[in-house]
Amino acid sequence: MNVNYIFITGGVTSSLGKGITTASLASILENRGLKVTIIKLDPYININAGTMSPNQHGEIFVTGDGAETNLNLGHYERFINTKMSRYNNFTIGHIYSEILKKEKQKKYFGVKIQVIPHITDSIKKHITNLGNKGYDIILVEIGGAVGDIESLPFLEAMRQISIDVGKDKTIYIHLTLLSYIKTIKKIKIRPIKYSIKELLSITVQPDVLICRSNYTMSSFEKIKIASFLNLSKKVIISLKDVNSIYKIPFLLKKQGLDNYICNKFKFNLPDTKLIKWKKILNREFNPKGYVTIGIIGNYTKLPNAYKSVIEALKHGGLKNQVHVYIKLISSKLVNDQGTDLLNKFDGILIPGGFGSKGIKGKLKTVEYARKNNIPYFGICLGMHIALIEFSRNVVGIVDADSTEFNLNCKNPIIKLIDKNNNQNNININFNVKKSLQGKMRLGNQICKLNKLSLSYQLYKTNYIIERHRHRYEVNNFFINKLIQHGLLIAGKSKNQSFIEIIEISNHPWFISCQFHPEFISNPHEGHPLFIGFIEASMKKKLT
């Protein structure tokens, strides 16, 4: 086993951008020819991210193998080629759960179960198991901030791994907040010193210090910090706030972080000029126009709840070389104040979600987009809303509804997934969550496209693989009636059981999908549906 480990911890406060920084560093190393992957350790007691509220945790990112994970895995996949899996994210709750399950099965032979060695050994096993997959470097991002009581088992496991594999095969990077007081024009490093002190208390000396700030550190200030913290100036990295996350790889590279890592791990590799990232920045800062897209949802005060959707829209803008202005509008606001709120948008998107909150406003939104020929993109719940609105106002099924919103509705256009649908599609991953009374269809699924559809023109292929996260499906009983009134079934699951994509034939651009295309979009390739949506929105703007 020749794998090397880079551990990234945070100090002073959380939400400093460890995920983006970790992904950026991984991208540089990958561009230099190394095979890398990233693990996110979450200090939550929850078993996984699946039941966490977007209001607290942000979006739940779904991997190809059907794991519900931390949103940072989305950053990882957008920045590097390695695909994430259920082995790239776990919580401390998951670790405890595994330990207790083994204890119940009497696998510990009656010994006392303790944090050391049982919890830390389990954490180490989860991390080092990926080391058998042929990676040159595994980057491990530890959630929260040093000093949080929940993170202590992770930090101890991190310390032990360095002893197990050797210090020459581990690097500790500490990302911390650098305080800069504008009124006196001075930096204050005391918070950093306290943060480092927390690490030193468990005998961990950081090898690299990344200072996040709205201020660019001078060479003199780097020397000052280095002398206080027993580090070399060359490993003090200034990470100033930037107007594009795609600039971060260049900030890290300019200060030689990748060279330090390659030298430490004895990789003799050619340098990289990050040509792909330069192309991205060129497109981003030289747009040929702009469009305004409205996202109509429930979690409008927390953009991270729709992080992948927002990024995928920007990727669509990059491929069309236009700037995408994104406005989050509460569906409740649409219901209370009317659809005049929507007339400023060149395109409208309703993202995924669960529950009946804000449904009336979303139904009004879809009707407005359909009647006014505004490009509409519905994702998961956004497709369900589109079908209910179409059924009520075009087909004439006035009481059409979803059993998610009305359990006793007489005409359920949308219903709970029937496990009997899983006849031939062995890839369907059903997770039964009794508290939510349903089965989850999660992860990659194969979809066959209708060659007469706009979706087929965008994808340019017969079969696609997309990621799912839903427990409700289209009721096939009503499909023929909807088709007679102009609905086009653009895609079905491989075994033809599930409706995956629908379109409205006489509309300029009206596409809704059951899956989450935002999860596989990246800034280099974008995603066919988001690229097409932005292009249609551009055309709408010019009319």
Side-chain angles (χ1 to χ4, degrees), residues 301-519:
K301 293 182 180 179
L302 187 73
N304 273 351
Y306 304 119
K307 188 62 179 176
S308 290
V309 171
I310 290 171
E311 293 302 314
L313 286 169
K314 292 178 180 178
H315 303 160
L318 289 172
K319 298 301 288 187
N320 285 288
Q321 206 160 346
V322 297
H323 183 78
V324 181
Y325 290 102
I326 300 168
K327 304 292 183 183
L328 295 174
I329 302 293
S330 167
S331 55
K332 184 178 184 302
L333 204 62
V334 175
N335 184 59
D336 294 343
Q337 297 185 15
T339 54
D340 287 346
L341 291 170
L342 308 175
N343 60 22
K344 59 186 176 184
F345 297 130
D346 305 308
I348 292 172
L349 183 149
I350 294 182
F354 290 94
S356 59
K357 183 180 178 181
I359 296 303
K360 290 182 180 179
K362 292 172 186 175
L363 286 166
K364 289 180 180 180
T365 297
V366 174
E367 183 179 14
Y368 178 86
R370 179 179 58 80
K371 288 184 175 180
N372 291 279
N373 288 328
I374 297 174
Y376 173 77
F377 193 1
I379 297 175
C380 199
L381 178 66
M383 181 174 104
H384 298 171
I385 298 296
L387 282 167
I388 293 170
E389 191 280 328
F390 188 87
S391 300
R392 289 180 182 179
N393 298 325
V394 177
V395 182
I397 309 174
V398 294
D399 57 351
D401 214 332
S402 166
T403 55
E404 182 176 13
F405 316 141
N406 180 4
L407 189 61
N408 299 314
C409 64
K410 294 182 179 179
N411 288 295
I413 302 299
I414 308 297
K415 64 180 181 65
L416 266 175
I417 288 176
D418 181 357
K419 197 170 184 178
N420 292 329
N421 277 355
N422 187 16
Q423 298 166 357
N424 303 310
N425 190 348
I426 60 174
N427 290 323
I428 291 180
N429 179 3
F430 286 106
N431 280 5
V432 179
K433 296 187 176 182
K434 294 181 180 179
S435 60
L436 295 173
Q437 298 180 348
K439 306 173 186 71
M440 289 287 282
R441 188 169 175 238
L442 289 164
N444 284 347
Q445 309 295 334
I446 298 173
C447 170
K448 183 178 182 181
L449 297 178
N450 182 342
K451 291 186 177 181
L452 300 177
S453 67
L454 174 58
S455 298
Y456 178 82
Q457 295 176 33
L458 293 171
Y459 279 100
K460 298 180 176 60
T461 186
N462 292 324
Y463 290 93
I464 59 174
I465 297 176
E466 294 280 1
R467 297 183 193 177
H468 291 247
R469 182 178 185 253
H470 63 104
R471 61 171 51 86
Y472 289 85
E473 61 167 326
V474 180
N475 190 342
N476 292 325
F477 177 80
F478 294 92
I479 289 303
N480 287 336
K481 197 167 187 179
L482 271 61
I483 291 174
Q484 292 169 10
H485 287 79
L487 189 78
L488 175 68
I489 305 303
K492 287 186 175 183
S493 61
K494 188 178 180 181
N495 68 351
Q496 301 292 296
S497 294
F498 295 99
I499 304 297
E500 306 285 42
I501 314 177
I502 60 106
E503 300 175 6
I504 294 180
S505 304
N506 60 354
H507 191 282
W509 206 97
F510 192 106
I511 296 179
S512 293
C513 54
Q514 182 62 79
F515 48 82
H516 289 265
E518 69 271 23
F519 290 149

